[in-house]
Amino acid sequence: MSALASLSSEPRLLIEATLRPIQGHRFQPTGFADLGPARFTGPDGSEMLLVESAQSVANRLELSVYDPAKGDLIPELEGLPYVKVLGLQDQLLTSTLLEAHRINSPYVLEASDNQVKTTLEKELGNLNEGPIDFRRVAKCLFKLDPNSLLHGCFLAILDGRLRITRAVTGFIEATGVRPAESGGVKNDRVNQTGDAALGKGNVPYSRTEFTASHLSGYFNIDLALLRGYGLPAEAVDLLISLALLKIQRFLEEGLRLRTACDLEIVQIKATRPSSYTLPDIQTLLKESKGLIGKCTGANLFAKPAITEVTYKGDIAKKKKKEKAE
């Protein structure tokens, strides 16, 4: 029986992972330019801290199934569609696996051949006539880049209403936090009194890390949203399987969030439905591979699965500007 069969009537799958620093007790949370560490007070008055935001976890989930050495998906997911952007010398510039806005990347939609934009416009028809048919949108995105349905996108270049909600979300919080102050100095071996603004001189600095009584990662897979797109059963199962695979691989291999924030998993469990037993990575890899085969056989994917486009927009704009001048 499929590891997903028992989720057929559930609207959400909620997962909680207990975490801890892999060494010592201190960790460095995410920081924001105008805010610093995101500290807040919990409902019970406890001091809390956002360790990793939903935006950052989304990026890390995407990278959890990406092989940077190959510049491609891990072998088990071969055949899963995405868009690859090439430069003028056919070198890899980027892809929808790496772009912050996935298929809505300007490097994809402003490619010289307009292949993806043309496909979207052809598949979606005249968007100005009546309400958006999001089932039609989902079918098209699944064909070109299923990850855009999992992690969301906003196709504003086609229509300001084309927002695809993120179906899998996650964040990491710390409870009972206390600051751990430390510091150091950047030493200049040549000129200890040089201008710090120029990167010279000995420069002392302070550093704030934290300890916590409890570290938790929370994940939410919106099953109802994925089913609501009206995709075939094998397509929905593939999206759920991919979401679970990404969460498991992120927790197993991707928790070195920063130089001073290296975490490990203590326990993982489903909290809704609490009776659900999470499948392991090997089971999910096998299931995902089988579902990719089924979706390919049902002609749900682009052919070839990897759509290649060439981007030379910046070069063309530069030449146009030089000609005008």
Side-chain angles (χ1 to χ4, degrees):
M1 181 183 291
S2 167
L4 309 178
S6 60
L7 297 174
S8 58
S9 61
E10 296 292 335
R12 303 279 187 282
L13 174 57
L14 304 185
I15 298 168
E16 182 176 344
T18 302
L19 310 173
R20 67 186 175 199
I22 200 166
Q23 289 181 303
H25 302 284
R26 292 170 295 139
F27 60 90
Q28 177 189 15
T30 188
F32 301 89
D34 56 348
L35 178 66
R39 302 178 68 174
F40 61 100
T41 303
D44 61 354
S46 59
E47 289 295 314
M48 301 191 68
L49 179 69
L50 180 64
V51 180
E52 203 69 8
S53 68
Q55 309 91 280
S56 178
V57 168
N59 295 333
R60 295 180 186 279
L61 289 176
E62 290 181 276
L63 291 176
S64 67
V65 294
Y66 183 76
D67 184 346
K70 289 173 49 185
D72 204 345
L73 289 163
I74 57 176
E76 293 86 348
L77 298 185
E78 182 180 354
L80 187 70
Y82 68 94
V83 181
K84 182 183 291 186
V85 183
L86 304 178
L88 293 180
Q89 305 301 319
D90 289 338
Q91 78 277 23
L92 176 65
L93 289 183
T94 187
S95 73
T96 51
L97 301 174
L98 303 173
E99 284 295 289
H101 299 288
R102 286 155 291 281
I103 205 166
N104 191 47
S105 163
Y107 304 111
V108 172
L109 298 179
E110 294 177 12
S112 57
D113 52 12
N114 280 324
Q115 185 178 348
V116 173
K117 186 178 178 183
T118 300
T119 301
L120 287 168
E121 290 174 337
K122 180 181 177 182
E123 299 269 346
L124 301 182
N126 190 347
L127 294 170
N128 295 320
E129 295 179 356
I132 298 290
D133 183 353
F134 279 95
R135 292 190 170 204
R136 193 172 180 179
V137 174
K139 180 181 178 182
C140 183
L141 290 179
F142 187 82
K143 176 180 179 179
L144 292 169
D145 180 34
N147 284 298
S148 288
L149 289 177
L150 278 183
H151 302 293
C153 65
F154 178 27
L155 291 166
I157 194 171
L158 300 179
D159 191 296
R161 298 171 294 168
L162 278 178
R163 294 178 181 269
I164 301 299
T165 305
R166 191 179 288 155
V168 53
T169 57
F171 58 92
I172 300 175
E173 286 183 349
T175 306
V177 297
R178 294 172 181 264
E181 307 290 356
S182 63
V185 61
K186 189 278 292 182
N187 289 310
D188 188 327
R189 296 183 180 275
V190 178
N191 182 6
Q192 290 83 3
T193 60
D195 187 349
L198 299 177
K200 300 177 181 179
N202 290 351
V203 182
Y205 61 87
S206 62
R207 182 188 187 98
T208 302
E209 295 169 308
F210 291 86
T211 63
S213 60
H214 197 73
L215 275 166
S216 295
Y218 298 94
F219 303 90
N220 182 336
I221 304 176
D222 194 336
L223 306 175
L225 175 65
L226 294 175
R227 294 192 199 101
Y229 289 134
L231 295 167
E234 58 266 36
V236 177
D237 283 349
L238 175 58
L239 291 170
I240 298 171
S241 181
L242 284 173
L244 282 168
L245 175 63
K246 291 181 178 191
I247 291 169
Q248 291 277 41
R249 282 180 64 94
F250 165 60
L251 291 172
E252 187 69 30
E253 302 175 9
L255 283 174
R256 191 169 193 267
L257 306 177
R258 280 164 290 281
T259 300
C261 190
D262 197 354
L263 309 177
E264 65 179 357
I265 184 170
V266 177
Q267 181 186 34
I268 181 173
K269 62 180 180 180
T271 57
R272 185 183 300 177
S274 58
S275 59
Y276 183 66
T277 300
L278 293 167
D280 60 29
I281 290 176
Q282 291 306 313
T283 299
L284 289 166
L285 284 171
K286 183 179 179 180
E287 189 138 327
S288 296
K289 185 175 182 179
L291 288 166
I292 288 172
K294 287 183 179 180
C295 290
T296 302
N299 295 317
L300 300 179
F301 291 156
K303 293 182 179 180
I306 299 176
T307 304
E308 293 188 351
V309 299
T310 301
Y311 180 80
K312 55 182 180 182
D314 293 338
I315 295 173
K317 289 175 185 176
K318 182 179 179 181
K319 288 183 177 179
K320 186 176 180 180
K321 181 181 179 181
E322 289 173 348
K323 186 177 179 180
E325 291 174 346

